Amino acid sequence: MYWTLELASKLEDAPWPATKDELIDYAQRSGAPLEVIENLQEIEEDGEIFESIEDIWPDYPSKEDFFFNEDEY
């Protein structure tokens, strides 16, 4: 399983919180690339409810990761 910003962005508007099956259904209905669906299918199922993309991809960059102070340049 691998995630990129482009792939993860396909789940930004998903109905969080959601189960693995709900996310797969959302990805299929929204026309997400096959890689997104395959990544979701590889998640180990234990009935977990995911609150956000960070639960699936812990390294997902937050808005703070893109913040920079233009005054420093």
Side-chain angles (χ1 to χ4, degrees):
M1 173 170 47
Y2 70 94
W3 287 99
T4 65
L5 284 177
E6 181 180 356
L7 293 177
S9 71
K10 304 300 181 186
L11 296 177
E12 284 181 351
D13 294 328
W16 304 103
T19 64
K20 172 184 170 179
D21 290 337
E22 290 170 335
L23 290 172
I24 291 170
D25 181 59
Y26 171 81
Q28 291 172 333
R29 288 185 293 109
S30 65
L34 183 58
E35 292 89 348
V36 172
I37 297 166
E38 289 173 346
N39 283 349
L40 291 170
Q41 289 171 337
E42 289 181 26
I43 295 172
E44 292 185 19
E45 174 103 33
D46 62 351
E48 184 176 355
I49 294 180
F50 302 99
E51 298 294 328
S52 67
I53 187 67
E54 288 88 0
D55 289 345
I56 296 170
W57 185 29
D59 293 332
Y60 183 73
S62 68
K63 291 178 183 171
E64 295 169 357
D65 292 332
F66 294 107
F67 179 76
F68 61 93
N69 187 348
E70 292 180 359
D71 294 337
E72 293 179 7
Y73 298 101

